[in-house]
Amino acid sequence: MPLNTEKFSAKPIKNVSVKVEIESKRALKSIYSPSHEVEVKRDGSHRGTAGYEASDVQPDADFALYFAPEKDEIGVNLLSYKTSDEDGYFLLLASPGMDVKEKQVVLKDVAFVLDTSGSMAGKKLE
């Protein structure tokens, strides 16, 4: 949704409010905005609402919202970003969804590995 007003006006916007209601025949796994901090509320496994509100702001980016209806038990989404010759980065979202039965929950340990070797020092690691 176009929200970047910085190029049109030097004055901040008094109130900004965006509300997106999503309903899908398939279960919704992930709902995410890479551009703004949104509050996500779920109403079962097939409906969700994402909202963004701010006061006295001068938006410098358009509003983007990603959601993934999945047919599989686990939703996996990959968002990547790269500009010109610079290194890019990515966001991996993995979601079991809202409708997991208690009998299906399996105890597990999850390990995240962060490469802090010499080749990742400085700005890359930051």
Side-chain angles (χ1 to χ4, degrees):
M1 178 179 146
L3 194 59
N4 182 356
T5 62
E6 184 178 53
K7 57 188 169 189
F8 300 113
S9 174
K11 296 181 181 179
I13 298 174
K14 189 167 186 133
N15 293 306
V16 177
S17 178
V18 177
K19 180 180 178 183
V20 180
E21 294 180 2
I22 304 164
E23 184 172 353
S24 173
K25 290 182 181 179
R26 292 190 206 164
L28 292 168
K29 298 298 182 180
S30 38
I31 301 173
Y32 172 74
S33 173
S35 60
H36 295 80
E37 286 192 36
V38 295
E39 179 181 359
V40 176
K41 293 184 180 179
R42 303 283 189 137
D43 183 15
S45 60
H46 298 268
R47 295 177 55 126
T49 303
Y52 167 74
E53 291 183 0
S55 298
D56 296 319
V57 293
Q58 191 170 359
D60 60 352
D62 291 335
F63 182 82
L65 185 70
Y66 294 97
F67 63 94
E70 293 288 336
K71 60 182 177 185
D72 299 324
E73 289 184 27
I74 297 180
V76 178
N77 303 93
L78 178 69
L79 302 173
S80 62
Y81 182 80
K82 183 177 185 325
T83 60
S84 62
D85 295 332
E86 296 179 17
D87 290 338
Y89 54 91
F90 70 91
L91 169 69
L92 178 69
L93 300 169
S95 172
M98 299 290 293
D99 54 356
V100 177
K101 307 255 186 288
E102 191 171 323
K103 290 187 245 177
Q104 295 175 319
V105 175
V106 177
L107 295 177
K108 62 191 91 33
D109 291 323
V110 178
F112 292 94
V113 178
L114 180 62
D115 181 359
T116 60
S117 65
S119 65
M120 296 304 294
K123 189 175 179 182
K124 286 183 180 180
L125 189 58
E126 292 171 14

